[in-house]
Amino acid sequence: MLPRLRLDELLGELQARLQEVMATRDRVHRLLEAVLAVGSDLDLGQVLQRIVEAAVTLVDARYGALGVLGEDGRITRFIPVGVDEGLVTEIGHPPLGQGVLGRLTALSGPLRLADVTQHPEAAGFPPGHPPMKSFLGVPVRVRGEVFGNLYLTDKRGGAEFDAEDEEVLVALAAAAGVAIENARLYEEARQREQWLAAVGEVTRALLSGAGWEEVLGLLARRAREMVGADAAGVALPDRERRMLVLGAVEGVGAEQVRNATVPVEGSLPGRVLSAGEAIAVATGDAGVGAPVGPMVAVPLGAADRTRGVLYAWRKVGGESFPAAAVQLLAVFAEQVAVALELAERRRDAERLTVLEDRDRIARDLHDLVIQRLFATGMVLEGAIRLIDSPEAAARVMRAVDNVDETIKEIRATIFALHSRGEQPGRAWLRGRIVETVEEATPALGFAPALRMEGLLDSQVPEQPAEHLLAALREALSNAARHAKASRVEVAVEAGAELRLTVRDDGVGIPPGAARSGLRNLQQRAEQLGGGLRLSTPPTGGTELVWWIPLEGTPG
């Protein structure tokens, strides 16, 4: 009986060893399959998700996660497996890397615990978090540096993680490091392609003469795509560089922020504008008091000539911007600033060409056209004395008057051509007067006659110009509604005073008519030291004269 018992023991032991070998073979096969699965994708997000899923399967854990570490050693990205999205939302903010997780980071090696809650450094679980007991953590290294940590908890069946689980997970972490490195290299290559395409697109838009708003919108869109932000925008300083205008914002919450203003003092874009250096923060402000998550801002241009600030942000709780993304955005902004400089130089050259052409046209008008008109007028005046017919003499005299009016109009044109008072964002007064007169044409039923004299574009400041346009609109509106006129003449003159004259051949102002609009114009003129006069010319109709002094007028 003893030999048979001994044989049974040997056969049982052999069978157990065979089962262990089979289990080890199956685990090795699963490990190989996991390594192949992890390395089969080049999208970093997908790679990280597959690493956690493979780890949970290999060690038969209920829960697993991968915590990506930032430069400060804190967890900046957390990928959980085994917990549904609703519970993740209920738990709230992911772990920061404190307690046992922080201990694992400090060790930079595997950590295996029978009961994670009994560890001296255990920080506990937040409300709503599922209970966890057994724990196994392994660092994931990329190029010798810890990229993050794999966390596995609650081995199924209530058992503890053993040394074999630890070895398998260490092997998986080594393979995961290679897969992560490949994915990061691919992502960097893709970002460089996006960078080159974005720089080329923005440069082409600038040099092709695209509108400023279009270029800024394009800049914000490409910046957002480049760094994977939820939103991005461009902040431009005002003339005094005290306020920043968020002129172009693209992405989540763009409508709430677009065209908002933030002070330079105390805001993140303001700090970048003043320092001329890129800044990245864990939490920021979208510009109107709305809290956002990680935020990065880079200057547009060199420190001594920063044109604006390009910034991007992610939602609250989002992943922080890595240093590579901040550097990529900063270099992109530098290249865009160079393109802006080139575009400005090109516009300056085109503007100089236009000004030279205007000077040449003005000289030709003055030296040739006006002189010939003067000569023609003098000949006609001399011929009047030789004409016996009073009717013919009157006609010639009217021709002389027309020549004088033409000379005045040409002189006004010469003044406009010589004017260099163009300011960004401000339309020339002559053009605005013409637009106002044209707007009244449909209501009148005919086009008013218009005459302008003096340096309207360069001599008249902004505030007097606005008052003049308001008076012109009111006068033309009254003529259209009440005058029943067939002709309206408008004259605008700039000299020591700014004078507007509007004359019509209508029915005049009836007694008792409401004059609230005219009273407002008179009060406005009197406040500025001017006045308003209404009269009836000998030929009938109404003549409105409105004037204010230009010397000392605030503008």
Side-chain angles (χ1 to χ4, degrees):
M1 295 297 293
L2 290 177
R4 179 175 296 180
L5 291 174
R6 182 62 178 166
L7 181 61
D8 290 342
E9 290 178 359
L10 292 175
L11 288 175
E13 184 178 350
L14 178 60
Q15 186 177 3
R17 293 291 180 89
L18 287 174
Q19 290 176 349
E20 289 179 3
V21 170
M22 294 293 292
T24 303
R25 185 198 66 177
D26 293 342
R27 175 167 279 193
V28 170
H29 284 170
R30 291 200 304 270
L31 177 60
L32 292 175
E33 290 174 356
V35 170
L36 292 174
V38 166
S40 63
D41 205 319
L42 289 175
D43 181 82
L44 183 58
Q46 292 293 331
V47 169
L48 299 181
Q49 184 71 28
R50 289 186 178 185
I51 290 172
V52 185
E53 293 173 351
V56 168
T57 302
L58 284 173
V59 300
D60 199 21
R62 190 181 305 275
Y63 306 108
L66 174 61
V68 180
L69 302 180
E71 297 179 357
D72 58 355
R74 291 178 174 270
I75 296 176
T76 59
R77 187 174 181 180
F78 196 75
I79 301 98
V81 169
V83 182
D84 59 70
E85 295 184 2
L87 185 56
V88 171
T89 304
E90 182 181 344
I91 294 173
H93 198 283
L96 299 176
Q98 301 173 349
V100 175
L101 304 188
R103 178 63 178 167
L104 175 61
T105 302
L107 287 175
S108 296
L111 178 63
R112 182 156 44 95
L113 302 173
D115 190 348
V116 67
T117 61
Q118 300 302 315
H119 192 276
E121 299 183 17
F125 299 113
H129 197 284
M132 297 179 179
K133 188 175 181 181
S134 55
F135 175 86
L136 176 59
V138 173
V140 178
R141 289 182 173 86
V142 176
R143 290 188 179 182
E145 297 183 357
V146 177
F147 172 82
N149 292 312
L150 269 172
Y151 312 114
L152 286 305
T153 61
D154 270 15
K155 187 175 179 68
R156 295 183 186 276
E160 299 178 13
F161 294 107
D162 55 24
E164 188 176 340
D165 292 328
E166 183 178 315
E167 291 177 1
V168 169
L169 203 58
V170 168
L172 177 65
V178 176
I180 290 172
E181 176 64 10
N182 291 335
R184 287 171 66 177
L185 291 174
Y186 174 76
E187 186 172 344
E188 289 176 5
R190 187 175 58 181
Q191 285 182 338
R192 282 194 293 270
E193 291 180 1
Q194 290 179 338
W195 182 88
L196 291 172
V199 170
E201 189 175 3
V202 173
T203 302
R204 286 193 298 272
L206 284 169
L207 298 181
S208 64
W212 186 239
E213 292 184 0
E214 178 183 348
V215 172
L216 293 182
L218 175 63
L219 180 57
R221 285 195 299 275
R222 294 296 172 262
R224 178 194 176 198
E225 296 169 358
M226 194 178 306
V227 298
D230 291 316
V234 181
L236 300 177
D238 59 8
R239 189 172 301 175
E240 292 78 18
R241 296 178 77 86
R242 295 180 180 176
M243 301 294 293
L244 284 163
V245 181
L246 311 184
V249 185
E250 298 289 336
V252 179
E255 295 300 328
Q256 300 176 359
V257 181
R258 190 176 291 121
N259 296 324
T261 58
V262 296
V264 172
E265 187 70 25
S267 65
L268 177 63
R271 287 164 53 196
V272 174
L273 183 71
S274 302
E277 298 177 355
I279 298 177
V281 295
T283 56
D285 190 299
V288 290
V292 296
M295 189 173 184
V296 58
V298 297
L300 281 172
D304 57 342
R305 196 179 178 186
T306 306
R307 301 174 178 274
V309 177
L310 176 62
Y311 62 101
W313 73 81
R314 288 173 176 158
K315 298 177 183 178
V316 175
E319 179 186 355
S320 298
F321 290 99
V326 176
Q327 180 64 23
L328 187 69
L329 195 63
V331 176
F332 175 62
E334 289 178 2
Q335 295 299 316
V336 170
V338 173
L340 285 170
E341 188 76 20
L342 292 174
E344 282 193 4
R345 293 291 177 266
R346 179 175 178 177
R347 284 195 295 268
D348 289 342
E350 293 174 351
R351 189 179 295 113
L352 181 61
T353 301
V354 171
L355 292 175
E356 290 175 348
D357 287 342
R358 289 170 58 189
D359 287 341
R360 178 182 55 79
I361 294 171
R363 286 195 304 270
D364 290 345
L365 288 174
H366 182 272
D367 298 340
L368 300 176
V369 179
I370 286 184
Q371 298 305 322
R372 290 182 180 178
L373 288 174
F374 264 127
T376 302
M378 293 177 63
V379 170
L380 290 174
E381 286 181 348
I384 291 176
R385 296 192 297 269
L386 303 177
I387 298 175
D388 296 331
S389 170
E391 183 179 352
R395 289 186 177 182
V396 173
M397 194 62 198
R398 283 197 298 271
V400 172
D401 293 338
N402 289 336
V403 170
D404 290 340
E405 290 296 325
T406 303
I407 291 174
K408 290 180 181 179
E409 292 177 0
I410 294 176
R411 278 179 173 169
T413 302
I414 293 173
F415 289 148
L417 290 171
H418 279 305
S419 173
R420 285 168 172 78
E422 182 180 8
Q423 301 176 3
R426 175 185 172 185
W428 285 10
L429 180 55
R430 286 178 176 272
R432 298 173 71 184
I433 292 172
V434 172
E435 291 177 359
T436 303
V437 171
E438 290 178 348
E439 290 172 359
T441 298
L444 289 168
F446 55 86
L450 176 61
R451 177 172 59 86
M452 294 181 282
E453 294 185 12
L455 302 175
L456 292 171
D457 291 323
S458 59
Q459 185 180 352
V460 181
E462 185 70 18
Q463 183 177 344
E466 294 295 337
H467 292 314
L468 172 76
L469 293 172
L472 177 57
R473 281 191 288 268
E474 180 66 23
L476 292 175
S477 175
N478 288 337
R481 289 181 296 174
H482 309 299
K484 299 180 181 179
S486 60
R487 177 176 176 79
V488 175
E489 299 175 356
V490 177
V492 182
E493 303 165 87
E497 62 183 17
L498 181 61
R499 179 177 293 268
L500 167 68
T501 303
V502 180
R503 183 184 299 111
D504 64 65
D505 61 354
V507 298
I509 302 178
R515 300 192 180 189
S516 56
L518 297 176
R519 190 178 301 111
N520 292 335
L521 292 181
Q522 183 173 1
Q523 292 175 353
R524 183 179 304 193
E526 291 175 349
Q527 290 173 357
L528 297 173
L532 180 142
R533 184 181 67 248
L534 286 173
S535 61
T536 300
T539 56
T542 304
E543 182 182 76
L544 179 147
V545 181
W546 180 93
W547 74 94
I548 57 173
L550 282 179
E551 297 181 0
T553 302

